[in-house]
Amino acid sequence: MVTTDIGVSAPPASQTKTRKLRLGALTALVIGSMVGSGVFSLPQNMAAGAGPLAILIGWGITAVGMLALVFVYQSLATRKPELDAGPYAYAKAGFGPFIGFNSAWGYWISAWLGNVSYAVVVFSALSYFFPFFGAGNTWQAVLGASVLLWLVHGLILGGLKEAAGVNTIVTIAKIAPIVLFIGVAIVAFKLHVFSLDFSGLGNASLGSITGQVKSTMLVTLWVFIGIEGASVVSARAERRSEIALATGIGFFTCLALYALVSLLSLGIMTQPELAGLKNPSMAGVLEHVVGPWGAVLINIALVVSVLGAFLSWTLLAAEIPHVAARDGTMPAFFARESERGVPSTSLFITNALVQLFLIITLFAESTYQALFSIASAAILVPYIFSGAYAAKLAITGESYEGGQSRTGPMLIGLLATVYGLWLVYAAGPAYLFMCALLYAVGVPLYVYARSERKERAFTAAEAVIALALVAVGLFAAYEMWTGAVSPL
């Protein structure tokens, strides 16, 4: 195995023999990762806590913050081409192995928890046709989700290139109904409905404008998670320059789709009407305009869309711990590959955890919204440190040649970091406590991985961070045990 000078191992021989991903597959991976279930529930999810004005402000903040992240990942893909697996590698190179581990760990948690939420929502959508699936957390739904999980597992074991090809086809198929919805919504849009109680202050339950904006933040973050998809699989890209292009195309495509879906819906049904819809709420909006066939179309589209996102995120979830294990940040067993170059052990552990949490949803009656909120909060650490690393490179001048302007990249990196910190504040204590517990569980695994290589586990500063993380995790566990906090 060849190791670069920053400690990230080059791909093993089995990986270099696999066929590489081109621009179309990379772009489909980015869009496929982002366009999952979230867009189909946007009308209700946004209206549940905010009026039109706050939703507009929320989209504005998200557009600026996520665009900064797009520029961060585009810049780092070209400035640091030797770093694979995006958020994990950037955090490690910039701030040391323990921060790198937590970035990989958080991204991994977010990815497989997101897949649990996808499994719940796909069977919630199928309950439109088969009522016994309920809200996606009945025993029938859990059984169906389990079968789906292991079918996807088998598909990926067949080869990453083949799975990426299937993902490209599914991505095209799931965008078409969304475009149709937008076309119908433009025709049906009524300005007087959109402007009714524009500020949302007429509804006391929504609270202040600031509170309303905060309520939109995890929703908008959720639908953009996956923007870094091309960076995560950077080692498998045919041309590294295409990572930046795929990221940009994916972002602007999804931003247009998301904003139009949520804002146009507010011109068809009022905020209280949208807030009362069952998810996928896009089905209720289209049914309001064209009749029952609209709900049928959207529920079918959601199933197709989530299947594609489930595949994309299973690929991403297996990749991060696999790469982290190859350079000793995670235990070595995550690094094992099949003959086809698939990270088989990482894939199995990932899907086993999805299976476990699917069973937990049966007893905890966890909802789609609770699961995606935890997944959204968990990914904030990788996003924050990606922005911070881009800012650090600009401040120190590393990777910049003489005469190159560093002011713009520095400001963009700082903006992405501040956006991530704002999202931490907006997430609220319940989801942050759950994430703290999940992060704390990873600390012993990191110590074990370091011991495998006979390396010192922590520096003095890292030891303080680790102890604080474990302490907060234990406190969070106590709060949940006593019932004071219950994110699920």
Side-chain angles (χ1 to χ4, degrees), residues 215-226:
S215 77
T216 70
M217 288 293 96
L218 284 185
V219 178
T220 56
L221 171 64
W222 169 246
V223 295
F224 276 111
I225 289 178

Side-chain angles (χ1 to χ4, degrees), residues 71-280:
F71 286 144
V72 161
Y73 285 119
Q74 286 181 330
S75 173
L76 293 177
T78 53
R79 291 196 177 280
K80 288 291 182 177
E82 72 275 18
L83 297 181
D84 295 325
Y88 152 68
Y90 302 146
K92 181 179 180 181
F95 306 99
F98 184 58
I99 296 299
F101 169 83
N102 279 287
S103 185
W105 184 257
Y107 195 93
W108 186 49
I109 289 172
S110 177
W112 61 256
L113 265 179
N115 268 1
V116 178
S117 75
Y118 284 148
V120 169
V121 80
V122 74
F123 283 90
S124 176
L126 286 172
S127 71
Y128 184 86
F129 309 102
F130 309 102
F132 54 79
F133 286 138
N137 52 9
T138 64
W139 72 264
Q140 296 96 331
V142 170
L143 178 61
S146 301
V147 172
L148 169 64
L149 170 68
W150 297 107
L151 284 175
V152 170
H153 182 89
L155 174 63
I156 294 175
L157 282 179
L160 290 174
K161 179 71 176 182
E162 291 73 13
V166 172
N167 180 62
T168 301
I169 296 169
V170 172
T171 298
I172 295 170
K174 68 185 178 181
I175 291 296
I178 300 172
V179 173
L180 174 63
F181 173 87
I182 290 171
V184 172
I186 289 173
V187 175
F189 182 86
K190 294 180 178 63
L191 185 59
H192 72 273
V193 175
F194 182 79
S195 59
L196 182 66
D197 192 18
F198 184 68
S199 67
L201 296 176
N203 185 344
S205 66
L206 296 181
S208 66
I209 296 294
T210 301
Q212 292 179 48
V213 171
K214 280 178 59 181
S215 77
T216 70
M217 288 293 96
L218 284 185
V219 178
T220 56
L221 171 64
W222 169 246
V223 295
F224 276 111
I225 289 178
I227 191 65
E228 69 294 328
S231 296
V232 172
V233 295
S234 56
R236 304 180 190 275
E238 187 173 88
R239 299 183 183 88
R240 302 211 48 125
S241 60
E242 292 180 342
I243 296 170
L245 182 57
T247 302
I249 293 172
F251 170 75
F252 286 109
T253 299
C254 291
L255 176 62
L257 294 175
Y258 295 157
L260 286 171
V261 165
S262 63
L263 293 172
L264 289 172
S265 296
L266 287 162
I268 296 173
M269 301 175 71
T270 64
Q271 178 269 325
E273 288 173 332
L274 289 172
L277 289 176
K278 177 188 174 182
N279 282 317

Side-chain angles (χ1 to χ4, degrees), residues 290-338:
V290 302
W293 72 263
V296 172
L297 174 66
I298 295 302
N299 277 285
I300 292 173
L302 171 63
V303 172
V304 173
S305 180
V306 173
L307 289 176
F310 196 94
L311 174 58
S312 295
W313 274 104
T314 302
L315 289 167
L316 296 179
E319 187 77 0
I320 283 285
H322 173 67
V323 174
R326 291 210 315 266
D327 68 344
T329 305
M330 291 188 77
F333 54 78
F334 279 103
R336 295 171 190 155
E337 290 186 350
S338 70

